[in-house]
Each structure stands twice: as structure tokens, then as C-alpha cells.
Amino acid sequence: MSFLSKTHFLRARNVGWDLIRSDFPILDQTVNGEPLIYFDNAATSQKPNAVINALRNYYEKDNANVHRGIHELSNRATAAYEGGRQRAAKYLNAASSSEIIFTRGTTEGINLVASSWGGANLKAGDKVLLTEMEHHSNIVPWQMLCERTGAELLYVPVVGDSGQLDLEAYDRLLGQGVKLVSVTHISNTLGVINPVAELCGKARAAGAVTVIDAAQSAGHLKLDVQALGCDFLAFSGHKMCGPTGIGVLYGRLPLLESLPPYQGGGEMIQTVDFFKTTYAKPPHRFEAGTPDIAGVVGLHAAMDYLDGIGRKAIFEHDQDLAVYAYAQLSNIQGIRLFGPPSGRGGLVSFLLEEVHAHDLVTFADQKGIALRGGHHCNQPLMKKLGVPSTARASFYFYNTREEVDQLLDVLIEIRRFFGSNPGI
Amino acid sequence: MFDELSDLYQQVILDHSKSPRNFRVLPGANRSAQGYNPLCGDNITLYLELDGDVVKSAGFQGSGCAISKASASLLTEMMKGKTTGEIRSLFNRMHDLVTTGKCEGAPDGKLAVFAGVHKFPARVKCAILPWHAAMSAIEGKQDPVSTE
């Protein structure tokens, strides 16, 4: 099932970014009297017509519950849902579509691993290794698990404002009896791209299970779970042109087969007796209740759409914007930029001396520019960097260098407006 | 182009955020309370020296945006010499002011500068945070307050 028109494929060969922009109806509006510049893509991306139409089409023509109906609509809904699973397997180059579990998003995927894998495998004294740049969603589930089991958390340090991982420390920490490593692919604050294949290879050699948080990478670059050598990988649909409320957890099949269920309910059972239930095989064992069928249909359309453009082209475009923005913004007096100048993901975090990030974001909003200001669900990292918050511009393939230039102008205006500010 | 912003960031607010008054730990404080907004990270501790029912002196410490800083600075200035009942009534009027742009009677000359905040719903919590901390300090509550 493809919702991508032929014209999209034709465009993709030459990648006509201007035309692609017109696939997103929401971008064609003014905010506070100015053309909208949407630079909050790391929080959530906008949705192309292909995805909006797929959702509409599903609800107008095919909506029914899955896996239990005999009737035609239920067959169609089931085919759409399981078709989405096959599409996701292809998107990640998974060995089998049984390795694709649909979740509400990255957060639920990580919670599922912590609950099912962690509950079955961790005991007091075991170690879980994270990094200092993790999002709260890749910290809190592990803290909860450690409180429950008596296992301990270790963190790979982040070095300086450029924010690369201390890889020597990683090697050292791995040797301390680590049972599981969970690491982000691309940092949502620093834009650092971690060498996840290398990290997974070393972890596997040390006998540790690996989890990749791909929330910031799944919509931006090609992912091959077999080449990465990870055991689990989680991402969210809404950050990659898909609907909110749908995500994917990839899990290596032998591991999934060994795990207990996550939640109990319909869909995940084989037989239910009043006192005993036998569970379905993966992936359905981990999908209790009526799933987000429309979400899967929308995500399927999003994956088709992204691959229609080409993830290589998307990554090059996003990275070009981030490197350009980093270089342009570094000319502003009193700016502090986070993350590496090059080789980074499509976002830039920064602070203007003496201007609080929230004042900056309110200002930019009056110019039609949507930024994020705050701790970005990275409170421990903020503490490490010694800042209460940062402002962040995060890009996607529909953004342009001209928009980055406008951001630069507004930041210069903000400096002028607030003038010298001794601050608190 | 920045009319709304000039409304929000009036000169008095910019002045108080750049040079906050009473920005210190109060040596004689007998009440204090923390205001913390976990989503944005604004964190303000308010110190009061209460003599019976009257505020003798007030101070604050912490970090926050221009709006929360200015609000805390102006609040500590105007609390001096007022009874806790008067402050509670001012709190209600400040609350109306930042949420609707209007309030019954003049809240106090300087507080009127916060009328522009109501056009920025996301920033109401910044302006009102120090006030919640003040009420909490007066009531002797222990837990940090939040306006999120």
C-alpha cells in the first residue's frame, strides 16, 4: 500500500526541496503576522499530505478492529496494520517483521524493554550503563527498574560543550559487569551523533544487551539494525512525519521470544483460562489491547514518503542546515553553542549571554519562528553543562538556509533589545 | 513589529530584570519558600522577615527569565511594610492582571507593568511564580511551589 504519488518519486530524483515544502499544508501560514518558520522538529515534525490523506482514507474506507473480524473491513484493517509492520521491518532492515512491536513511541519502547527484559534479567548488583546525554525517557525507566531490582546505574561522561562521549570511559565502564547498555543515537540537545555500531559491538563482546534510542535519528538517516548490531531500537512516528501516538520497538527475535509480556489484555494471548493464560508469540505478545491501527497506517505512509525523498538526501540536507546554522550563529557576540561544529545531527542548541532562553523563544515567536527553550528533558545534562536551559533550533528537510538567515537576524535583534544584562 | 513585545517587556521590567532589587539572602529572615517550575527551570527562593503580621523586609535568590526576575524584584520591593492580609489581596489582583490584563482597582502603580503578560499565556506562570512562593512563605509551607 503506497500513498506516495508518482510525482513524488520523480521529484525525489532531483530532490526539489521547494516542491517538497508544499507537501506540508501547515507550513503555509503566518504566525504573529510573519511567515511561519518551524524550527521545533526535534520535538515533533510536521505532517505531509501523504500522511494526512492516509489517515483520512483509512477512517473513511477501511476502519475496523484487527485480528478478530471475519468481515471485509476487519480484513482490510488487519492487512493495513500488518502491512505497516512489514514496512517498518524493511525501513530498519530487520530480519523479520516479527521483530517489530508497535508502541506509543520511543518512551513506551524503552519502558517495555526495562519492564520485560529488565524484570526478567536484572538482579541486585547488576549494572545498567547509560550516557550523560540521555533524554529523561532513557533515564527514568532505568532508575525505576534499578529501584525495583537493586541494580545500579552507570553513566558514560560527556566531554565539554562539544558533547562527545568519553569512549575510553565507555570501555572501562563496560568491564564493570554491565548487563545492559542504552544509548541515544543522536542527542536531542547537543546534536552529537554517537558511534552506535561501535558501542553495540563492544557491548555485545562484553556480554551486554544493547538498546538504541533512535527518536532523533529514525526520520533523518538510514537505519540498519543488523549492521548496527543492536538488540533493541526504539523510535517515534511523530518525529518523522507520522502521527503522534505511534512508535516502533525493534527487538532481536531470539531475545523477544525469551521475554515475558509487557501488559496483559486482549490481542496478546493464546488461550485464557480463569486462572492461567498462555501468551501469543512475538510481536503480538507485546501488543495488548486494540492497537493504534490508524497510527500504523499513517506511519506506513510516512516511511514511504521519507524513502520517496531518500533518507541519504534528507540527512545531507538536515546536516547542511545544522552546520550552516552553527557557523552563522557563532558570529553573534556572546553566544554559546553546544555540540560539535560539524558531523552533527540537524539541530543547534545555544545560549545568548545574559538572555534567558524563554525570553529568547518568546521573542522569536513574535517573528514567526518556532524554537524550543528549556532543559529539553535533559536536566542531568543541563546540570553538567552548568546551564539552566538552552534555546534550540531543530531542522528538517522542509527548512531552508534562508530561514536560518532570518533566525540569525532575529537573534541579533534580541541582543540589541535586551542590551547588557547582568542577569541573575 | 514588536509592539506586543514592548508591552510584555516594559522598561520597568527590563530594568528590574537587569538590576534586580533585594537580590540576596535575608540575614534576618524568619520565613522562606522556594518557587520552582520544573518544565522551564525557573527557580526562585523568597526570604521574608515577618514582624508579627507585617513584612519588615524581603529578599530573593535564584535563576529565571526576565519576567520572573522582574516580578520577584518588584514583589520584594512592594511587600515591605504590608500586612500578610494586604499581600494576599494584592496576590489576587496580580493574578487577575496577568491572566486577563485587568484587575479591580489599581494593584499598585508598578505592578501595572505586568498587564501585557496576559497576551502571552505561556509566560503567565513566570510572572506569578514569585507570588506563589511569597504566599507559601507567609503560610509557612515546606514544599516548593510550582505554577506548572
Side-chain angles (χ1 to χ4, degrees), chain A residues 43-213:
Chain A
T44 197
S45 75
Q46 297 304 345
K47 323 301 175 197
N49 280 321
V51 170
I52 298 167
N53 292 340
L55 289 170
R56 169 183 288 272
N57 188 64
Y58 170 74
Y59 278 126
E60 283 184 351
K61 300 198 174 97
D62 301 327
N63 178 56
N65 211 329
V66 292
H67 296 146
R68 57 180 72 119
I70 309 289
H71 60 80
E72 169 63 18
L73 291 191
S74 179
N75 288 341
R76 277 191 229 157
T78 303
Y81 185 68
E82 293 303 326
R85 197 187 306 279
Q86 283 165 12
R87 183 65 184 86
K90 196 174 142 207
Y91 192 81
L92 298 175
N93 193 34
S96 152
S97 64
S98 297
E99 297 180 312
I100 302 298
I101 300 162
F102 286 118
T103 63
R104 283 189 293 136
T106 313
T107 299
E108 190 178 44
I110 294 171
N111 274 279
L112 193 159
V113 179
S115 172
S116 287
W117 180 89
N121 293 286
L122 272 198
K123 56 182 192 311
D126 286 346
K127 308 283 195 310
V128 171
L129 181 57
L130 309 176
T131 82
E132 287 181 342
M133 69 172 79
E134 299 309 316
H135 189 278
H136 293 168
S137 61
N138 197 24
I139 295 178
V140 182
W142 305 113
Q143 283 178 350
M144 290 164 64
L145 174 65
C146 287
E147 274 170 27
R148 221 161 49 234
T149 59
E152 290 166 35
L153 285 180
L154 301 173
Y155 287 92
V156 184
V158 161
V159 184
D161 279 4
S162 73
Q164 315 278 3
L165 288 180
D166 181 344
L167 294 178
E168 282 176 25
Y170 178 74
D171 293 344
R172 203 167 54 242
L173 290 164
L174 257 190
Q176 296 184 10
V178 168
K179 287 281 168 64
L180 178 137
V181 175
S182 190
V183 59
T184 188
H185 193 175
I186 299 182
S187 158
N188 67 312
T189 294
L190 299 164
V192 168
I193 304 175
N194 286 319
V196 279
E198 183 189 336
L199 299 179
C200 288
K202 286 178 170 173
R204 182 165 289 180
V209 163
T210 50
V211 184
I212 296 177
D213 170 355

Side-chain angles (χ1 to χ4, degrees), chain A residues 29 133 186-187 259 266 296 323 340:
Chain A
Q29 64 173 299
M133 69 172 79
I186 299 182
S187 158
L259 295 187
V296 168
V323 171

Side-chain angles (χ1 to χ4, degrees), chain B residues 75-123:
Chain B
L75 171 64
T76 52
E77 265 197 335
M78 57 172 302
M79 284 170 97
K80 243 174 257 180
K82 292 208 165 56
T83 66
T84 55
E86 286 169 331
I87 292 164
R88 186 166 290 116
S89 132
L90 274 175
F91 170 85
N92 291 332
R93 288 195 274 167
M94 174 73 173
H95 192 273
D96 288 349
L97 187 69
V98 295
T99 50
T100 67
K102 300 188 277 284
C103 73
E104 213 178 301
D108 178 289
K110 277 187 175 170
L111 281 192
V113 298
F114 290 103
V117 172
H118 84 280
K119 289 182 199 149
F120 297 82
R123 307 304 299 278

